[in-house]
Amino acid sequence: MFEGETMIAAAPMVWGQGWIGLGVLHWADSDTPLYSDLLCRPDREKDVFPLLAKGLLAQPGLRKLKVDYVPDDSALARFCAFLGAEPGCPVPTPHIDLSMGPVLDRLSPRRRKDLRNYRRKLEAMGPVTFEQHRTPEDLAELVAWIFRFKRSKLADHDGANWIQRPQTEHYFRDLAMRLAAQGRALGHRLRVGDQTAAASLTFRRGDTAFYSKIAYDPCFAAGSPGWHELLALSECLRADGVHLFDLMIGTGFVKEKIASGANVMRSWRLKVNPLTAFLPRTGSRAYRRSAPAP
């Protein structure tokens, strides 16, 4: 959507055929657990939302709009509510407030003792070092390593088909390489001797970092390399001036132990009368069922 030659909003969507031959608009996301959002100037939402809604509902044969992974505080969530779409169940997205100091200091004495024992187990296998990777070439190599071990770990997990597709790895590789040129991608690696024990990929926007991917080599599982990698990454980000470390979608033991809070995301669905595009814009019961909420 443009105002003169200036873009004020963008809404990427893909048209698909539903099971009865009518159209379904899907948000053009990565088909992975990354957040979805609408690109819109905050001061123009009141102008953009009605025009965007009108354009969507004018699509002939549209039956449904599907949007996943939408943070509650995003422009896309506000637009979905404006449309009158139905929100799904809330899903927590934990985060760490790095301005509160080192994450390690917030752990219980017993947890810190366990981590010291795990560290000794890693050191018994070889010297323990951490590396940062910020160039496109280094990030491409690190993404390949992460996906190799992530695929192996999730091979038998329900709902994890997305990571088995080669296109998914290509998407994250290309995204990391592009953002590296802007200083917004960080690869972080834990080495034991000359072998990679764990590695992570993080993206940054302003003073917020988004924890995108982590994987570890099960050969080093006795030393809990994922714990050490995440704690070292947190300190690296804190030193870089990051204030909020978003651990993103999903929960787990480690996230629950180190998170200082959580936001919420959810999916949205809008059912549309497929005759909407052919009916008058006012006075039609079929149109009113699909019209934006006041």
Side-chain angles (χ1 to χ4, degrees):
M1 189 174 295
F2 288 84
E3 184 176 64
E5 296 184 354
T6 302
M7 184 174 71
I8 59 174
M13 284 168 283
V14 176
W15 179 272
Q17 293 295 117
W19 65 274
I20 56 175
L22 296 174
V24 178
L25 274 176
H26 298 265
W27 205 254
D29 56 31
S30 65
D31 199 25
T32 72
L34 273 183
Y35 299 143
S36 299
D37 203 355
L38 166 68
L39 182 63
C40 180
R41 278 177 41 179
D43 61 328
R44 302 306 303 273
E45 288 185 3
K46 62 181 177 57
D47 304 312
V48 167
F49 286 4
L51 293 173
L52 182 57
K54 181 179 179 181
L56 287 178
L57 297 175
Q59 299 299 313
L62 177 62
R63 184 179 63 87
K64 184 179 292 186
L65 174 68
K66 294 183 176 182
V67 189
D68 296 319
Y69 309 123
V70 184
D72 271 9
D73 59 353
S74 67
L76 183 52
R78 293 189 290 275
F79 176 66
C80 288
F82 177 87
L83 276 176
E86 291 293 327
C89 296
V91 177
T93 57
H95 61 252
I96 307 172
D97 183 353
L98 296 179
S99 66
M100 296 170 60
V103 176
L104 185 63
D105 293 350
R106 306 177 218 171
L107 300 178
S108 68
R110 180 175 179 179
R111 180 58 52 192
R112 292 198 297 270
K113 180 180 178 181
D114 289 342
L115 288 170
R116 288 193 296 270
N117 291 334
Y118 292 145
R119 177 68 179 247
R120 283 193 285 269
K121 290 180 180 180
L122 289 178
E123 291 171 343
M125 303 179 203
V128 175
T129 56
F130 294 94
E131 299 174 354
Q132 299 178 35
H133 300 282
R134 300 178 187 269
T135 68
E137 297 75 18
D138 286 347
L139 285 166
E141 183 274 327
L142 197 71
V143 167
W145 188 95
I146 289 172
F147 270 81
R148 178 158 61 93
F149 282 93
K150 197 82 171 174
R151 284 194 189 101
S152 177
K153 180 181 179 182
L154 298 178
D156 299 323
H157 285 226
D158 291 337
N161 293 337
W162 59 270
I163 203 164
Q164 305 299 334
R165 295 192 291 268
Q167 300 94 315
T168 305
E169 179 180 340
H170 298 164
Y171 174 89
F172 281 93
R173 179 198 63 201
D174 294 346
L175 178 61
M177 294 177 72
R178 287 200 304 271
L179 291 182
Q182 306 171 24
R184 296 176 52 207
L186 171 65
H188 200 268
R189 186 193 309 258
L190 162 61
R191 284 193 184 273
V192 177
D194 60 355
Q195 298 184 66
T196 299
S200 61
L201 176 65
T202 304
F203 300 122
R204 181 170 176 175
R205 184 182 65 191
D207 63 359
T208 299
F210 298 90
Y211 188 47
S212 178
K213 296 286 177 289
I214 187 171
Y216 68 90
D217 185 338
C219 293
F220 300 93
S224 196
W227 260 106
H228 294 291
E229 165 59 23
L230 181 53
L231 291 172
L233 172 63
S234 299
E235 283 306 291
C236 174
L237 295 171
R238 196 167 71 91
D240 275 355
V242 171
H243 291 162
L244 189 71
F245 186 16
D246 190 326
L247 300 176
M248 302 196 69
I249 301 167
T251 58
F253 176 76
V254 176
K255 288 185 179 182
E256 291 171 358
K257 290 296 181 183
I258 66 175
S260 55
N263 295 324
V264 171
M265 56 126 274
R266 66 188 80 220
S267 298
W268 293 78
R269 298 290 184 267
L270 176 68
K271 294 182 179 179
V272 180
N273 187 317
L275 298 177
T276 294
F278 305 102
L279 294 171
R281 291 302 182 192
T282 59
S284 165
R285 183 178 179 186
Y287 174 70
R288 286 198 301 270
R289 283 202 299 268
S290 305

